[in-house]
Amino acid sequence: MKIKRLHIKNFRCYYGALGPIDLDTTDTANVILVFGENMRGKTSLLQAIRWGLYGVARDRQGEEIPIIDPSTKEQLLSRVAESAAEYSMQVSIEFEHDGEQYALTREAASSSLAPRSDEDFLIHRHLQSGARVFSEAAVDAYIQNILSEDISRFFLFDAEMLEHYEDLLKNPEQEALAVKQAIEKILGVPALMAFESLSEEAGLAEGRQNTHLKKRNKASELLEKVSAANDAITGLRRDIAEMTRQRDELRRETDEAELECKRNSDIEAKIKQLNEIASQIETEKSKLLLEYDGLAALLRRAWWLPLVPQVQERLSRLREEGRAATESLRQLHRIELLDESISVKACSLCKADLHQQEVTAMRKESQNLTLANYGRDLSTLLDATRRAEIYDQFSSPEDLVELRLREDNVAQILTEMSALETREAELRGAMENRSYGDFNIKYEKWQNLCDQLRHLEDGIETQRNSLREKETEKVALQKALNGLPDADPALALQTSLYQELSRIFEDAMAEFREDLRNSVGEDASAIFKTLTTESGYTGLEIDENYGLLLLDHDGGAVPGRSAGAEQIVALSLIGGLNKAAVREGPVVMDSNFARLDRGHRENVLRFLPQLGSQVMVLVHSGEIGQDQDLSEFGVKVARRLEIRRVTETRSEIVSEVGQ
Amino acid sequence: MSINQEVADRDRDQIGLPDETDDLLKVLVKQTPWFKNEMDVYRLAITVALARGLEPRLDESETYTTKYQVSSLDPDGRLKLLITTFAPDQSKTPYRWAMRLANKGVKFLHSALIDKGLPIGEALGLPMREV
C-alpha cells in the first residue's frame, strides 16, 4: 500500500475540509517530511490515517479516543466543529495497492442536534477502485486484508511509544504471543500453513487402505487398533480445536478486561497509593505499640516517677545543706586550730613560735569565724547524707528523660498517622464516584481470566502432546498394516508419501520460521550497527518472541537500556521487519528525535529512506535542521509539508514554500 | 487504749480499693495503652497522690475491698520507704496511708487520662520538656 492523497474534515485540530494533501512519493524520493511545532497536530495527522483505515484512533495509553466526549477529555471531532454544531467528520485516503488505485472514505456523522456519545453517530465507509465500488460491509475486511490492523503498529507508529515495543515482547505472555503472531503475519508465515492438507490426504489414503483390508477380513486386530487410534486422534483434534476456540475467545475477553483495567489506571494508581498508605499506617501502628509497651514497662519499673521532680528538688536542697554543713565543720575545725595556736602563741600544726602580729591576726580571724556562727554539727551532715541516699533511689533522671522521649515519639507517630489517615480519606473521597469497588471486581476478573487462559493453554499443550503420541502410535500401526501381504501397495505408497511430505513440510516450516527470525534479527542487528554511535555495542540478538537483546563486546546482553537506546533498538526491529515483510505499507512515524543525541539523530535520518517504500516522518523544527540534517538525505525527500496553527484549536497543512 | 484505736494504729497486711474506685482502675487498664496490669496503676496512683498532695481524709467512711498483699505490692519495701519519707506523720501505718492515697490517685488518674484525655506526662504532673 502506498498513500497518494489525503483529505481530512473536522478531525481533531483540523477544522473544515483540508485537502487533497499530496503524499505521493517515488522510488528514488520516498520520504515525506511533515513539520509542525508541538501541539500543532502531528499526532492528529497520524491518528487521522489510522482512523481512516481502521475506524479506530488511540491515545498514547492505548485507549480508544471517542468521536465525542462531553467531558474535557480527548475526542476525535474537531472542537471548533462541535462549537459550530457541525457533527460530521471525514477522512479520505487515496492509495495504490498491487498496481490498483483505491479511494477509501470513512465518515462519522450525527443527525442529533446535540450528540453526547459515539452512539449518536453513524459511521459510513466507502471504498472504490476504478469502477468497482465495494459493499460497505466488505470495506473493513478488505482493508484488513491489504494491511491488517494487527500489524499496523509496525507501519503507523508513534515513536513516543517505541520503547513499549520491547515491553510488549518481553512482558505479558499473551501480548508477546499476539505481537509474535502479528510479526509472523507481516512475514507471511500463515500463508504457508496450508501444508496441513497433506496430512489429511495421508489420512484419506490410509482410510482406503484399511477399507481394502477390511473387505478381505484381514488383520482385524490391527485394524481395530488403528480405528481406535483414529478415533482418539479425531477426539483429541476436536478437543484441541474447541479449546483453541475457547482460548481465542478467552484471549479476547482478557484483552478487553485488561483494557478496562487500563482505562481505570488512575484508580489503580490510587489503590496502589492507598495500599502504600495502609502499609505505612500499619508500620506507624507497630512503632506506636512499641512506644506504648516501652512506656508501660517504664511506669512499672519507675512507679515513683510522679515524685521525681520533688525528689530532685529535695535532693538539691539536701546537697546544699550538706555543703553548708561541711563548710561549717571545716570552719569549726579552723577555729579550734586558731584558738589553740593563740593560747600557746605557737602554730598548732608546725609548733613554730608566733609573733605578736600573727597572734593578733589569728584572733581577729577566729572572732570573725565565730561571728559567722554556723551552728552546724556532724549529726546534721550525717542526717542530710542519709536522707540524700534515700532520695537518690527515687531520683532516676534517666527515667524522666526516657518518658519525655517516648512521649515525643508517640506525638510524632500520632501526627504522622493523622496525616496518613487524612490522605487516605482524601483518596477514598476522590474515588468515591469512580467505582472503587467496581475496579477491584474488574481487576479480579482480569486476573481470573489470565489464570483461566494460562490453564487453557496448558491444557492445549497437554492435549497436543497426547495427540503427537497417538499419531506416532497410529503411524506405526498403519506401517504394520501397509506391510501386510494383503495390503494394497499403491495405497501404502500413497500413505507413506503423504506422511513423509507432511513431515518434510513441518520441518521446513520450523526451519523457515527460524531462518526468517534470524534474518530479521540479522537485519535488525545490521541496522542497529548503522544507527548506533556507541562502539561498545556489537549488535543485537533476537529471541524466540522477536525480542531483541543488545550485545556488548563480549557478546553478553546489556541490561538496563536508556530510553534513547530503546528507541534505536525498536527502530532497528521495525527496519528489520519491513525489510523481510511480504506486505508493504506506508511507514508513518510520529517521531521523537529530541530524545536522541546529535550523532544518533543523524544516523536515524540517514537511514529513514530505507525504512520502507514510503516513509512519512512527523517532526518539529528542532528535530531536523533545515540545512545541515537535510543535506544528508535531502534528495530522498519527496515532499515537505508544514502544519500551521490557525487558532489555538485549529491547524492546517500546507506545502512548504518552494514545493 | 480502745480496741478500735489499737486496730487503727496497726498497719495493714492487705490493701485494696473501694469498689467504685476499683471500677475506675479497671477502666484505666482497659482503655489506655500505658498500663499492663492493675497493680502497675495502683502503685503509680499512690505516688501521683503523694506528688500532687492529694491528702486523704482521716475520717473517711469508704469501705475498701482487699486487692493485694502488701508483700506482693511492695516486695522490696521501697513503697514503704517512700511514704515514710514523704509523709513522715504516717510512718506508723504507711500501707494504710498508701491505700488511701491509691484511692485518691486512681480517681485522679481516671479523671486526667480518661475524662480529660491528658498526655501521660502531664497527668503524672511531670514538667514539660524544656524548649
Side-chain angles (χ1 to χ4, degrees):
Chain A
M1 176 194 273
K2 186 202 267 186
I3 298 177
K4 298 273 193 174
R5 273 168 294 279
L6 186 67
H7 306 254
I8 303 174
K9 185 189 151 198
N10 293 345
F11 189 92
R12 291 180 69 80
C13 59
Y14 301 111
Y15 172 63
L18 256 78
I21 302 160
D22 203 339
L23 301 174
D24 203 6
T25 53
T26 63
D27 289 346
T28 49
N30 63 334
V31 177
I32 302 162
L33 292 178
V34 184
F35 289 95
E37 298 312 305
N38 289 335
M39 316 290 286
R40 289 286 199 282
K42 297 193 294 294
T43 305
S44 297
L45 182 58
L46 173 66
Q47 285 165 339
I49 296 172
R50 248 185 191 288
W51 188 78
L53 288 172
Y54 308 115
V56 176
R58 297 185 191 281
D59 63 16
R60 283 183 171 144
Q61 282 70 48
E63 275 193 53
E64 189 176 336
I65 306 170
I67 296 169
I68 196 160
D69 189 338
S71 73
T72 52
K73 284 185 175 176
E74 289 189 277
Q75 67 174 39
L76 297 181
L77 180 68
S78 153
R79 292 274 181 198
V80 184
E82 188 190 0
S83 307
E86 291 176 35
Y87 303 117
S88 152
M89 65 174 202
Q90 197 181 77
V91 174
S92 297
I93 301 169
E94 291 175 41
F95 63 90
E96 184 189 312
H97 175 66
D98 283 349
E100 299 288 328
Q101 306 299 319
Y102 293 83
L104 168 70
T105 299
R106 191 178 296 270
E107 183 189 27
S110 175
S111 55
S112 165
L113 288 176
R116 304 279 301 160
S117 73
D118 287 13
E119 286 169 9
D120 296 329
F121 283 82
L122 281 175
I123 308 292
H124 304 285
R125 307 156 188 84
H126 180 84
L127 180 65
Q128 188 168 355
S129 176
R132 183 185 174 195
V133 177
F134 290 76
S135 76
E136 190 167 355
V139 172
D140 283 341
Y142 197 81
I143 296 297
Q144 289 284 349
N145 193 41
I146 294 174
L147 189 68
S148 156
E149 193 193 348
D150 289 341
I151 60 171
S152 67
R153 68 176 97 194
F154 299 102
F155 293 99
L156 312 175
F157 59 90
D158 183 343
E160 282 287 348
M161 294 172 76
L162 272 180
E163 59 199 87
H164 300 313
Y165 284 80
E166 276 294 294
D167 287 343
L168 276 175
L169 294 166
K170 275 187 291 193
N171 293 328
E173 284 169 31
Q174 289 92 33
E175 285 200 50
L177 191 65
V179 175
K180 184 182 171 184
Q181 283 171 353
I183 288 175
E184 291 198 332
K185 224 177 209 178
I186 305 175
L187 302 175
V189 171
L192 300 172
M193 301 302 279
F195 75 88
E196 281 171 358
S197 63
L198 287 170
S199 60
E200 286 167 23
E201 291 294 337
L204 290 174
E206 282 165 9
R208 285 196 293 272
Q209 178 74 285
N210 297 348
T211 312
H212 168 80
L213 286 167
K214 215 179 219 171
K215 278 181 186 163
R216 282 163 179 70
N217 285 326
K218 299 286 178 189
S220 58
E221 195 184 333
L222 259 179
L223 280 169
E224 270 172 31
K225 282 184 180 172
V226 168
S227 170
N230 270 333
D231 288 348
I233 288 168
T234 310
L236 282 166
R237 281 190 180 143
R238 203 171 39 231
D239 288 352
I240 290 169
E242 175 56 20
M243 286 166 90
T244 307
R245 188 194 61 75
Q246 286 176 9
R247 183 202 58 196
D248 292 345
E249 201 171 305
L250 203 53
R251 194 176 280 165
R252 265 194 299 280
E253 275 183 57
T254 310
D255 288 348
E256 277 168 24
E258 187 187 357
L259 197 63
E260 196 62 31
C261 285
K262 278 183 179 165
R263 282 197 189 111
N264 289 288
S265 58
D266 62 328
I267 292 186
E268 192 183 6
K270 284 191 174 71
I271 288 172
K272 271 187 191 158
Q273 285 177 42
L274 272 174
N275 288 340
E276 278 167 24
I277 287 173
S279 142
Q280 284 170 350
I281 289 176
E282 282 308 309
T283 310
E284 293 300 320
K285 272 185 187 164
S286 308
K287 281 157 70 180
L288 191 64
L289 284 178
L290 278 178
E291 291 300 333
Y292 284 153
D293 284 351
L295 271 165
L298 174 67
L299 293 177
R300 169 181 288 180
R301 191 180 69 240
W303 42 269
W304 55 82
L305 263 181
L307 284 164
V308 166
Q310 291 177 38
V311 166
Q312 285 179 342
E313 192 191 326
R314 290 189 185 193
L315 255 179
S316 149
R317 220 166 46 227
L318 278 173
R319 284 189 184 119
E320 188 53 43
E321 278 180 29
R323 269 194 296 275
T326 309
E327 178 62 15
S328 180
L329 283 173
R330 200 182 62 75
Q331 302 285 14
L332 283 171
H333 181 59
R334 177 74 179 152
I335 290 168
E336 279 169 16
L337 286 176
L338 288 170
D339 288 352
E340 192 185 329
S341 302
I342 291 164
S343 65
V344 296
K345 292 190 172 62
C347 174
S348 57
L349 294 175
C350 64
K351 308 299 176 196
D353 289 342
L354 296 169
H355 297 290
Q356 188 52 44
Q357 273 179 325
E358 288 167 330
V359 172
T360 308
M362 281 180 168
R363 190 167 288 130
K364 200 173 176 181
E365 188 190 348
S366 170
Q367 279 168 355
N368 284 342
L369 286 170
T370 311
L371 281 174
N373 189 18
Y374 284 96
R376 303 281 179 184
D377 56 22
L378 191 57
S379 65
T380 311
L381 180 63
L382 288 174
D383 183 51
T385 311
R386 187 186 57 78
R387 282 192 292 151
E389 276 171 8
I390 293 172
Y391 286 128
D392 258 340
Q393 292 182 47
F394 303 107
S395 164
S396 46
E398 69 285 350
D399 290 332
L400 206 53
V401 169
E402 185 186 336
L403 181 109
R404 285 166 171 165
L405 193 69
R406 288 196 184 277
E407 268 202 312
D408 281 355
N409 290 346
V410 166
Q412 208 174 332
I413 293 166
L414 288 175
T415 308
E416 183 62 28
M417 279 174 72
S418 168
L420 287 167
E421 280 161 3
T422 306
R423 178 86 189 110
E424 188 183 31
E426 281 169 4
L427 278 170
R428 286 198 190 281
M431 292 197 314
E432 203 167 30
N433 301 325
R434 305 280 308 285
S435 61
Y436 169 70
D438 279 358
F439 175 75
N440 267 342
I441 293 166
K442 279 172 188 156
Y443 186 78
E444 275 172 25
K445 183 186 166 190
W446 176 40
Q447 292 301 312
N448 282 339
L449 286 170
C450 287
D451 286 346
Q452 285 178 38
L453 196 56
R454 260 193 300 277
H455 284 136
L456 202 50
E457 276 167 351
D458 289 348
I460 291 173
E461 193 51 40
T462 310
Q463 294 294 74
R464 279 191 180 139
N465 288 338
S466 305
L467 179 63
R468 272 192 286 275
E469 279 171 23
K470 214 32 114 180
E471 280 174 342
T472 313
E473 183 190 323
K474 199 203 84 174
V475 166
L477 289 167
Q478 194 65 47
K479 206 171 176 182
L481 276 172
N482 285 339
L484 290 173
D486 287 325
D488 182 334
L491 287 172
L493 185 64
Q494 257 186 40
T495 309
S496 61
L497 193 64
Y498 280 128
Q499 276 171 350
E500 191 60 17
L501 277 172
S502 176
R503 197 186 54 74
I504 289 168
F505 265 89
E506 205 169 322
D507 291 349
M509 262 312 286
E511 210 169 305
F512 173 71
R513 273 182 152 145
E514 198 175 332
D515 284 352
L516 209 51
R517 200 173 56 242
N518 288 337
S519 155
V520 170
E522 280 164 21
D523 286 338
S525 189
I527 294 168
F528 179 80
K529 280 193 260 188
T530 314
L531 295 182
T532 188
T533 55
E534 298 293 332
S535 54
Y537 301 142
T538 52
L540 300 171
E541 187 179 276
I542 200 157
D543 70 15
E544 204 182 325
N545 282 336
Y546 288 85
L548 289 168
L549 294 171
L550 189 52
L551 303 178
D552 61 19
H553 260 311
D554 303 324
V558 179
R561 306 196 284 242
S562 69
E566 284 290 358
Q567 208 168 336
I568 298 290
V569 170
L571 266 175
S572 306
L573 173 64
I574 287 165
L577 288 173
N578 277 294
K579 213 167 167 186
V582 290
R583 301 176 194 205
E584 269 192 329
V587 176
V588 183
M589 184 161 71
D590 185 5
S591 74
N592 184 4
F593 294 148
R595 204 175 266 176
L596 303 175
D597 56 48
R598 183 163 185 83
H600 278 109
R601 199 174 68 222
E602 280 172 4
N603 287 350
V604 169
L605 289 177
R606 213 175 294 133
F607 172 72
L608 276 180
Q610 298 161 55
L611 200 55
S613 58
Q614 184 184 31
V615 180
M616 189 195 299
V617 189
L618 310 169
V619 285
H620 63 69
S621 57
E623 291 176 288
I624 295 186
Q626 293 280 25
D627 303 323
Q628 204 175 344
D629 289 330
L630 287 179
S631 65
E632 289 286 344
F633 73 115
V635 289
K636 295 281 185 184
V637 178
R639 297 180 189 281
R640 288 188 219 174
L641 305 174
E642 188 188 351
I643 302 174
R644 283 190 191 152
R645 186 205 295 260
V646 180
T647 65
E648 267 188 20
T649 51
R650 188 179 162 196
S651 298
E652 61 179 10
I653 301 171
V654 294
S655 280
E656 280 201 325
V657 180
Q659 292 288 303
Chain B
M1 186 185 286
S2 69
I3 294 173
N4 281 348
Q5 184 62 44
E6 204 176 320
V7 170
D9 285 348
R10 215 172 55 219
D11 202 8
R12 298 181 66 101
D13 298 328
Q14 296 172 328
I15 54 177
L17 282 174
D19 290 345
E20 201 179 299
T21 315
D22 194 38
D23 290 343
L24 301 180
L25 175 74
K26 287 181 165 56
V27 169
L28 280 166
V29 174
K30 205 172 172 186
Q31 293 188 11
T32 70
W34 323 110
F35 311 115
K36 291 289 178 204
N37 59 51
E38 293 177 15
M39 198 188 277
D40 289 350
V41 191
Y42 192 94
R43 236 186 251 118
L44 195 71
I46 295 169
T47 53
V48 165
L50 266 179
R52 290 188 170 267
L54 305 174
E55 289 287 315
R57 282 172 55 195
L58 289 170
D59 59 344
E60 65 171 8
S61 57
E62 285 182 277
T63 309
Y64 284 75
T65 304
T66 299
K67 277 183 83 74
Y68 308 113
Q69 294 286 338
V70 292
S71 55
S72 314
L73 185 74
D74 188 23
D76 54 4
R78 289 215 283 180
L79 181 62
K80 184 178 177 181
L81 179 63
L82 199 69
I83 288 169
T84 52
T85 307
F86 274 84
D89 298 347
Q90 306 299 328
S91 52
K92 267 190 176 172
T93 54
Y95 290 122
R96 186 179 294 277
W97 190 245
M99 185 172 74
R100 289 174 174 175
L101 285 169
N103 184 23
K104 289 278 181 186
V106 167
K107 285 176 182 168
F108 177 84
L109 282 175
H110 184 275
S111 163
L113 294 172
I114 304 291
D115 297 342
K116 295 179 187 156
L118 295 180
I120 184 74
E122 202 177 328
L124 299 184
L126 295 171
M128 304 292 281
R129 177 186 276 278
E130 287 169 22
V131 182

